[in-house]
Amino acid sequence: MSKKIRVRFAPSPTGGLHLGGVRTVLYNYLFAKKHCGDFIVRIEDTDQTRYVEGAEDYIFKCLEWCGLQPDESVLHGGAYAPYRQSERKDMYRQYAEQLVKDGHAYYAFDTPEEIEQMRELLKEKGSHNLQYDHNIRGNMNNSLRLLPEETQKLLDAGTPHVIRIKIEPDEFVHLSDMIRGDISFDTNIVDDKVLLKADGMPTYHLAVVVDDHLMKISHAFRGEEWLPSAPVHVLLWKHLFGLDAMPQWAHLPLILKPDGNGKLSKRDGDRLGFPVYAMDWTDPKTGDITKGFKEIGFLPEAFNNLLAVLGWNDGTEQEIFSLEDLIEKFSIEKVHKGGAKFDFEKAKWYNHEWIKKLPASHYADRVKIIFANKGIIITDDNYFNAVLELVKDRCTLLTDFYEQSAYFFESPGTLDVDAVKPKWSAQKSEFFSEYIIALRSLEVWDMANIEAAFKELAAAKNIKPGELQLPMRIMLVGGKFGPAVFSIAALIGKEETISRVQEALLLLNAD
Ligand code: GLU
């Protein structure tokens, strides 16, 4: 019987959720759903110095917004709880002790000052390698150098200590990565990482391996930045649980800055004027807000879509994928090895496509909030949806709806008279005065009738309808934009249309 597919996203609650993090979630989620497996979110908070208040809550809110709900997590529960590593603290020591017993790890009593001294000494000797590793561990205050009785004495006395993995030099550690194929690591450049800290907390390295084992994780997908840690994890798997039990790894390519090389950072976003976090993140210490994709007006459908294709495609020309499509078509083996450059203009293109594709009612509630913040309270949902439908082709971000359609809810504050004035004439003024009368007598107020009356009168007066359409638009909208002018009149209604034309006539005929 093949193993049940179980994948995990294992964030450390240290701040805002970078779009690379959401893409990792997405790939995990898609893989789990495709294979009828479980998607687990495990909070890796063993490094209390990096812990940031509110970050965990925020991560779950982001996943909720993206519609990537975990099957098991701190919030959702599950058979392998607890899902927060700080609450699993007592589980890890036994594995670290086991490694010491088997000769794969050792107690190290060095104080931070002693380690610093060692580094200074190495620097003086001109060494560039300042790691705690096989080169220097023989000179340090640890159980490899001390006699067993001495070690025992220190332990009995409660001397603060850590447990470090003992990396054997001159070996190669192999890893078969689902994206990168076989990778081997030279142990000579791997340091003796701390596994258990002086406060009894495991480090990430020990906790990730123990928890992946205890939670029966079958596949572990994470960012490429974790590749240097992979040999330590493979060795821990080998020593603790056997390589056959190890999950299959995939290290996902980085999302790169649009200009130049290197990982896209929050700073790049600030510099180039786009968000890199999924949602607004408020720094609990400074109160500073970093903008998120959600708040600047992205749809989750578009966000998932654009993230999915940053580093993956299905080999066809298809660009627009729903979550269902992605579940069907995604395959981790097709994820690219190389990093993908982030392109904000392309990201907006995806949003525009999704705004057009989805019924406006799908996102109307969010747009309503944007309007409310601008002082327009929506009371008629049907009218609101009809307006959004009419203008959605013109909107790239949800926030664009305000500019594109505020005139449906209040008459335009200022009219772009300059666009009309140069070609304004008594004849045109007369046309609009008579058009008001024609509109008043329309029995059925719809686009076809409004347009027919317009064309009929224009023909009778021998004016090209094309010359009258711009003034009509300016009268109703205020500017040279918006959908078909008769569709606007149809929606805003007879009274409002007539009153806007009348007011504009007063203005245009003023001098
Ligand atoms: N806790 C790690 C992080 O902050 C997760 C690495 C992994 O998935 O193994 O990203």
Side-chain angles (χ1 to χ4, degrees), residues 106 110 114-115 118-119 122 125 127 129-142 144-145 164 192:
Y106 56 92
D110 319 275
E114 285 167 343
I115 293 181
M118 171 272 280
R119 297 213 162 111
L122 287 172
K125 285 190 187 155
S127 172
N129 175 16
L130 307 180
Q131 305 194 118
Y132 197 121
D133 63 10
H134 63 279
N135 287 310
I136 65 120
R137 65 190 174 211
N139 306 322
M140 301 297 286
N141 193 13
N142 58 45
L144 295 178
R145 190 182 62 86
R164 286 181 180 272
D192 289 357

Side-chain angles (χ1 to χ4, degrees), residues 8-12 42 44 50 204 208 212 221-223 225-226 233 249:
R8 86 305 191 267
F9 174 56
S12 299
R42 182 176 68 224
E44 302 208 325
R50 293 180 62 226
Y204 158 68
V208 76
D212 282 352
F221 307 151
R222 61 183 178 188
E225 62 272 33
W226 295 104
H233 303 163
W249 293 98

Side-chain angles (χ1 to χ4, degrees), residues 9 15-25 55 58-68 264 266 274-282 289-300 302-304 306-307 342 344 351 366:
F9 174 56
L17 187 58
H18 186 276
L19 53 94
V22 185
R23 193 193 54 179
T24 303
V25 176
Y58 165 89
I59 290 167
F60 283 109
K61 288 213 173 87
C62 291
L63 299 197
E64 194 185 337
W65 175 60
C66 293
L68 305 172
L264 175 71
K266 187 176 98 54
F274 57 76
V276 298
Y277 288 163
M279 286 169 61
D280 273 7
W281 164 250
T282 309
I289 299 175
T290 307
K291 277 276 152 224
F293 277 88
K294 178 184 174 197
E295 288 77 3
I296 71 152
F298 270 75
L299 290 169
F303 193 49
N304 286 334
L306 72 95
L307 288 180
F342 180 69
F344 187 54
N351 206 50
R366 285 186 60 197

Side-chain angles (χ1 to χ4, degrees), residues 97-112:
E97 299 281 2
Q98 186 62 45
L99 288 164
V100 176
K101 222 180 275 162
D102 297 343
H104 300 305
Y106 56 92
Y107 300 109
F109 301 94
D110 319 275
T111 61

